[in-house]
Amino acid sequence: MSDVPTMRELLGDDALSNWGRWGPDDEVGALNYLDAEQVLRGVRYVRSGEVFPLQAPMGHPHGDPVFPGRESINRTNVLDESSWDEGKEGAPAFPGGLHYADDKAEIFLQGSTQYDALGHVWYDGKIWNGYDARDTVDGMKKASVQAIAERGVAGRGVLIDMARHRGKPWLDKGETFDHEDLEAAAKAQGVEIGQRDVLLIRTGFLAYFYSVPAEEFYADFVEPGLTYSRGLVEWFHRREIPNLVTDTIANEVTKDPVSGVMLPLHCALMRNLGIVLTEIVLLDKLAEACAADGRWDFLYTAAPLNVVEGTGAPVNPVVIR
């Protein structure tokens, strides 16, 4: 008999929940915290006008950082200058002689920097807000990424650089931290994690990905990250965090080191509290700029691709300092 508890046993029958908080039809969860007041609050942290796009490249020669079992983008040309070479057929002949390039791609919607739909992960047959998990069959009929795409995300963001705080270029595989560690790092950086902030956490793990062969990165695959505790979930709930953004593939340590449960924070934070998760985000250049002038807060903006019934979608978040 397995010693690993079920998700319900780990989180408890009294697990904190925001189900129904924004009505029975809600599909964006804690993003409701980011009202107009919060957007204007975020704008106040734009001071130098620096712009930082945060998406990891798709189709990088090194490969793309994806969860095991997913594949990098497969992009192919449909038309290019060679399409008009002598003897080839099928290239359009436009009046005036215009040529153009066209391409197509097969992608995992969660195969790049991306937003999870709130219905992406569940347990006990219920997704976010109590919707039936059968609503995910053949397409996510409830709590899909489309709801997030149509709403958009904007507010004050704050970056906590755990790798820098611990004096490392990147955290080790399986290295953990919790809300108390986040508060300690914030204090050391001279920034406050405020109410309803978009929380960005840098572990340096994407820099590690691009620095080593894929075989090394994926060997005994377990990422660093937040680890589950009731206290951590209460901290996120109390601070009304709308969006957790990290530079890892899974936002949390892959397997909880105490219980052995896989990805419990996806269930505790996303499925139960409606906190939106954003993964595989390039934070190194932003962190360098923040460390250089001691400003770790900014305007965070994002909108994933508008994919009908999608479980997630690529995104290029933009931070403005």
Side-chain angles (χ1 to χ4, degrees), residues 68-81:
R70 295 177 182 149
E71 300 172 357
S72 298
I73 185 175
N74 180 15
R75 191 203 62 80
T76 56
N77 276 16
V78 175
L79 287 172
D80 52 41
E81 180 60 15

Side-chain angles (χ1 to χ4, degrees), residues 48-254:
S48 58
E50 297 168 276
V51 177
F52 292 86
L54 303 181
Q55 184 178 14
M58 302 178 75
H60 193 283
H62 185 76
D64 298 342
V66 294
F67 200 81
R70 295 177 182 149
E71 300 172 357
S72 298
I73 185 175
N74 180 15
R75 191 203 62 80
T76 56
N77 276 16
V78 175
L79 287 172
D80 52 41
E81 180 60 15
S82 71
S83 304
W84 282 267
D85 287 349
E86 185 176 353
K88 286 194 175 182
E89 298 181 357
F94 288 110
L98 174 111
H99 291 184
Y100 68 100
D102 205 0
D103 53 4
K104 64 180 180 180
E106 181 178 354
I107 65 173
F108 273 81
L109 289 175
Q110 300 187 30
S112 174
T113 307
Q114 56 89 26
Y115 268 76
D116 280 349
L118 282 183
H120 170 53
V121 169
W122 63 89
Y123 63 98
D124 285 357
K126 297 290 184 181
I127 63 175
W128 159 250
N129 215 28
Y131 296 121
D132 193 324
R134 300 298 299 179
D135 288 330
T136 68
V137 176
D138 294 327
M140 193 154 285
K141 308 302 187 297
K142 295 288 187 181
S144 80
V145 76
Q146 184 179 23
I148 299 172
E150 291 181 338
R151 187 191 187 285
V153 183
R156 178 185 187 253
V158 59
L159 173 63
I160 303 301
D161 192 340
M162 287 303 303
R164 188 179 303 270
H165 180 61
R166 292 185 174 177
K168 301 178 175 183
W170 48 72
L171 300 187
D172 299 327
K173 289 184 177 181
E175 185 172 349
T176 64
F177 50 91
D178 61 15
H179 57 296
E180 294 180 351
D181 296 312
L182 292 177
E183 293 278 20
K187 184 177 181 180
Q189 292 175 195
V191 70
E192 180 182 357
I193 303 172
Q195 202 77 1
R196 302 190 176 187
D197 280 348
V198 176
L199 177 58
L200 290 74
I201 304 173
R202 177 181 173 271
T203 68
F205 215 58
L206 277 190
Y208 171 60
F209 170 83
Y210 290 114
S211 300
V212 300
E215 293 78 11
E216 178 180 334
F217 180 80
Y218 286 108
D220 302 318
F221 183 76
V222 56
E223 292 190 290
L226 291 165
T227 189
Y228 170 78
S229 71
R230 176 76 178 211
L232 181 140
V233 177
E234 290 173 347
W235 183 87
F236 271 85
H237 187 50
R238 185 170 60 252
R239 290 194 176 274
E240 299 182 334
I241 300 295
N243 190 178
L244 173 62
V245 180
T246 75
D247 61 353
T248 62
I249 301 172
N251 268 147
E252 60 180 300
V253 65
T254 314

